Amino acid sequence: MDFKGFLNDLQDWELSRKHEEAPHTNKNPQKENVASQNTGLGSSRRDTLSFDNARSNSRQYNDPFSRVTSSFVSEDIPDAVSEKDLGNEYFKQKKYKEAIDCYSRSIAFSPTAVAYANRAMAYIKLRRFQEAEDDCTEALNLDDRYIKAYSRRATSRKELAKFKESMEDAEFALRLEPNNQEIKKQHADAKSLYDKAMLDKVSGALKSTVKGTQKEVKLDTKKNGGSIHPISHITQKSGPAKGNEQQIPAKESYIMEEVDSNKIRSRAQRQEADGSSSSNNVQHVKRNQKGSKQHVQTSIQQLASRAASLATAEAAKNITPPTTAYQFEVSWRGFSGDRSLQTCLLKAISPHELPKIFKNALSTALLIDIIKCVASFFNEQMDLAVSYMEHLTKVPRFDMIVMCLPSTDKDDLRKIWDEVFCGEATPMEFAEILDNLRLKYCLGQ
């Protein structure tokens, strides 16, 4: 069957349907004959319209695919957002286990910082603090400026007795939102608990040190002659001897009195000697006590120094490259006062990673501290130092940070630039780069 015949069949089918719906008699056969004999543009247009109507009708009544597709579209298909919203509803109803299940399905569809932080909150309600801490860490790996994740991790760490880490989380969150009263209170609580823990630790160490000192003094006293006896005062009375009512001649009486006085003097001398030896023993013991205390203090200082050097060496070996601004700042503050360890931490990061790590979290104080650290190894590794200075300018909001630098910090930067970066030992190739960077750091020419 050709296409023209197919169109004619469709036209006949349409006319038959019209007759069925509204039957009528044809009162003017001539017009009908004229219409049927009329060929050309009008006929082809009518045929096309008839075909379109037939096609739409068949699609409406006979197309199974359209019916199946519409049925699928009308049904609700779960996704990450709907599961998260459902979890929120369960959380409001205090159905925390069901909320955790929904958040877990949302994370399976598409991991987001919000879903992890919400699940962490549900874990906190169930007092599953370790899992809550882990979820907050995952949330911060996805978004290191998410305030709620810092706050909830601070809560979890406080309950896990990680007071220092809890205080650091709250401090970092407070830096992102300085006017957040809830986080201010959280930071104050965490700091109070940390200070109390440190005080208990120090007092315990002092008690053990005092006990050790007392033991050493007792041992030293036993070695040097034992106990110390008090001095007793003896009174002697001299008088004439009484015996058989016999008178003693005056000369003999004088001799006896002299002998008695000599005995008394000898006894007094012995007592004086005993007293001096006792006082010498007391002074000796006091000197031993003082010396032992000094010895203990010296030993403690030596041990502390040795422990600090060992800890520094061990920390330098175990430095892991930070991936977020929070990780970097916590490690940086942990190495405060030790420029060598801070240098190791900075060198663990490739310069071009700085913008990705800091994002919008670079503070003024940290920027100045990093530049001072770079200046400390500038003469040994100029190319690396210049690369760090270049990539710091690519950190988001760098221009705003530099514009808001206090005058004292700008003076420090100018001094570093003039004395270190643009010194006589700086090669021309690096000097040109640093001259251009000087303008970006708002230091003028």
Side-chain angles (χ1 to χ4, degrees), residues 177-324:
E177 281 192 13
N179 298 322
N180 192 316
Q181 297 301 320
E182 183 180 350
I183 294 176
K184 278 184 180 180
K185 184 179 182 302
Q186 190 176 30
H187 177 260
D189 292 343
K191 189 176 185 303
S192 176
L193 289 170
Y194 175 67
D195 292 342
K196 184 178 181 299
M198 291 301 296
L199 185 62
D200 293 342
K201 189 175 180 181
V202 170
S203 62
L206 284 174
K207 285 180 182 177
S208 62
T209 304
V210 169
K211 286 181 181 178
T213 305
Q214 289 175 348
K215 286 180 181 179
E216 287 192 13
V217 170
K218 286 180 181 178
L219 290 172
D220 199 24
T221 305
K222 288 180 181 178
K223 288 179 182 178
N224 286 288
S227 59
I228 303 167
H229 300 286
I231 302 169
S232 59
H233 298 281
I234 302 172
T235 8
Q236 297 289 339
K237 293 182 179 179
S238 60
K242 294 180 179 179
N244 299 329
E245 297 178 356
Q246 182 180 0
Q247 288 187 354
I248 299 172
K251 187 176 181 180
E252 290 181 4
S253 176
Y254 173 77
I255 291 170
M256 288 178 67
E257 286 179 3
E258 190 176 355
V259 170
D260 288 339
S261 63
N262 286 335
K263 285 181 180 180
I264 291 170
R265 278 198 301 270
S266 64
R267 284 179 183 175
Q269 287 174 357
R270 282 199 303 271
Q271 289 174 356
E272 189 177 347
D274 290 341
S276 63
S277 64
S278 298
S279 63
N280 288 336
N281 285 336
V282 171
Q283 291 176 358
H284 179 68
V285 170
K286 287 181 178 178
R287 283 197 299 270
N288 286 338
Q289 287 178 346
K290 188 176 180 181
S292 64
K293 285 182 180 179
Q294 291 176 349
H295 176 69
V296 168
Q297 289 177 354
T298 305
S299 301
I300 290 173
Q301 289 174 355
Q302 289 175 352
L303 287 172
S305 176
R306 197 178 305 166
S309 61
L310 288 172
T312 300
E314 193 65 24
K317 290 179 185 176
N318 297 327
I319 287 176
T320 55
T323 57
T324 65

Side-chain angles (χ1 to χ4, degrees), residues 6 39 42 89 91 117 119 133 188 393 398 442:
F6 178 67
T39 58
E89 291 299 322
F91 187 90
R119 191 171 71 174
E133 181 190 8
T393 62
F398 173 82
C442 297

Side-chain angles (χ1 to χ4, degrees), residues 111-156:
T112 62
V114 175
Y116 273 115
N118 287 2
R119 191 171 71 174
M121 193 64 202
Y123 280 134
I124 289 172
K125 292 295 184 181
L126 294 175
R127 303 190 65 79
R128 293 162 63 177
F129 298 113
Q130 186 57 59
E131 291 156 294
E133 181 190 8
D134 294 340
D135 268 4
C136 289
T137 302
E138 291 295 333
L140 291 170
N141 288 336
L142 295 170
D143 182 3
D144 62 352
R145 293 181 62 81
Y146 191 32
I147 303 292
K148 289 182 179 179
Y150 283 115
S151 177
R152 290 168 189 175
R153 190 167 71 173
T155 301
S156 304

